[in-house]
Amino acid sequence: MKILSIQSAVAYGHVGNSAAVFPLQRIGVEVLPVYTVNFSNHTGYGSWRGPMIAPEDVAAVLTGIEERGVFGEIDVVLSGYQGGEGIGDVIIDAVARVKAANPDAIYACDPVMGNAKSGCFVAPSIPVLLRERVVPVADIITPNQFELGFLTGTEPTTIASTLASADAARAMGPHTVLVTSVERPDREEGTIEMMVVDDRGAWVVQTPLLPMKANGSGDVTAALFTAHYRRTGDAADALARTTSSVYDLLERTHTSGQRELQLVESQESYAHPRMQFPVRQVR
């Protein structure tokens, strides 16, 4: 499997491609990383150094890959945080060119906009770009519960309303929706859930809620789920494998006391997930 991953990169820590590439490689995926920024560290620190890469330079890298005749071998285009409309245009164009070269290729988009605690933290133009132009051309999207509501203009809270919101998102174009950070009022205290919905049904998995914030965990989640799902076509299995791997990564990070994901130290959790959390079909 080959994944073209168009995301940010940092020298210190693990977000964007700096979070997604290694776990994908560890499960046997060939990754072609294309960078949209090259920062010293993620912006959560409040200060960073390094350049945003101009959309035309990102496009030039993609054209260079295309000139090697590789687009026909790409199975998945993966994208995460889109810092500006220019990058969005480049990604949409790349998806069209990859699919022209390989009609079996899919596009997986993590529509990063914000979260329930922080609200929407991207430029006002980004949700409009995602909702009107990016999501309609995606095959898989991986929003958190807040982003799902923001995209669809709904209020997902319960299992039923989250299912309805996922269906509204699927009506926009994607056939598969992975919803992360699902927090319903009637769930068991100290837990958090993920849900996946596709043409075959809907499934939920529940894990303990760890008392931490981990930048980059969503990037790992989107990457692993997409790869597992593309490989097997089994949404429930992909959900179980991804949940197992990401939970163990987060637990190791929390135990370490470090702010950054313990990405390399957790590599066996990607290659050999424990499958410790049962997946429950809800439709």
Side-chain angles (χ1 to χ4, degrees):
M1 186 189 305
K2 284 187 171 69
I3 293 183
L4 177 65
S5 183
I6 309 170
Q7 301 195 57
S8 59
V10 294
Y12 173 70
H14 302 289
V15 299
N17 267 334
S18 301
V21 171
F22 178 67
L24 288 173
Q25 291 172 330
R26 194 63 181 82
I27 64 171
V29 175
E30 183 75 30
V31 187
L32 288 72
V34 175
Y35 302 136
T36 55
V37 309
N38 188 14
F39 287 166
S40 56
N41 51 270
H42 67 70
T43 58
Y45 285 96
S47 64
W48 63 93
R49 295 182 183 272
M52 291 188 68
I53 299 174
E56 55 267 29
D57 291 330
V58 179
V61 172
L62 289 162
T63 298
I65 296 170
E66 184 178 31
E67 289 170 346
R68 303 286 74 76
V70 180
F71 274 13
E73 302 172 8
I74 299 297
D75 299 291
V76 179
V77 180
L78 174 65
S79 72
Y81 170 71
Q82 298 184 18
E85 292 183 64
I87 291 295
D89 291 335
V90 170
I91 293 170
I92 292 169
D93 180 64
V95 169
R97 285 152 60 190
V98 167
K99 287 191 170 188
N102 178 14
D104 291 330
I106 63 171
Y107 171 37
C109 170
D110 186 6
V112 179
M113 290 182 287
N115 56 60
K117 292 182 180 178
S118 304
C120 192
F121 52 61
V122 297
S125 62
I126 298 302
V128 178
L129 169 73
L130 290 168
R131 183 169 56 246
E132 295 184 358
R133 299 186 56 209
V134 179
V135 169
V137 302
D139 299 288
I140 300 171
I141 60 171
T142 60
N144 60 38
Q145 191 176 31
F146 169 83
E147 291 163 340
L148 177 64
F150 211 84
L151 275 175
T152 58
T154 60
E155 295 186 7
T157 51
T158 64
I159 291 291
S161 61
T162 303
L163 275 169
S165 296
D167 286 340
R170 294 175 70 235
M172 297 166 68
H175 58 66
T176 302
V177 178
L178 174 70
V179 191
T180 64
S181 301
V182 175
E183 299 185 60
R184 54 187 173 90
D186 58 341
R187 73 189 190 280
E188 184 180 344
E189 186 176 355
T191 65
I192 194 165
E193 294 169 323
M194 282 203 293
M195 174 188 291
V196 64
V197 184
D198 72 359
D199 293 337
R200 298 181 179 181
W203 296 265
V204 168
V205 63
Q206 185 179 87
T207 72
L209 175 61
L210 295 168
M212 61 182 294
K213 177 185 177 182
N215 294 89
S217 58
D219 302 318
V220 177
T221 301
L224 287 176
F225 175 81
T226 297
H228 288 310
Y229 187 60
R230 183 68 174 91
R231 183 171 278 160
T232 68
D234 187 331
D237 180 73
L239 180 63
R241 289 180 182 279
T242 301
T243 301
S244 174
S245 298
V246 173
Y247 180 83
D248 283 352
L249 166 63
L250 291 174
E251 186 176 48
R252 183 181 292 270
T253 301
H254 179 59
T255 301
S256 75
Q258 299 296 309
R259 177 170 181 172
E260 294 293 341
L261 291 175
Q262 300 299 287
L263 195 80
V264 175
E265 295 84 350
S266 303
Q267 60 182 287
E268 286 302 308
S269 296
Y270 323 136
H272 304 105
R274 294 190 292 142
M275 308 294 278
Q276 67 272 42
F277 301 110
V279 171
R280 176 169 62 97
Q281 187 162 10
V282 291
R283 187 169 70 193

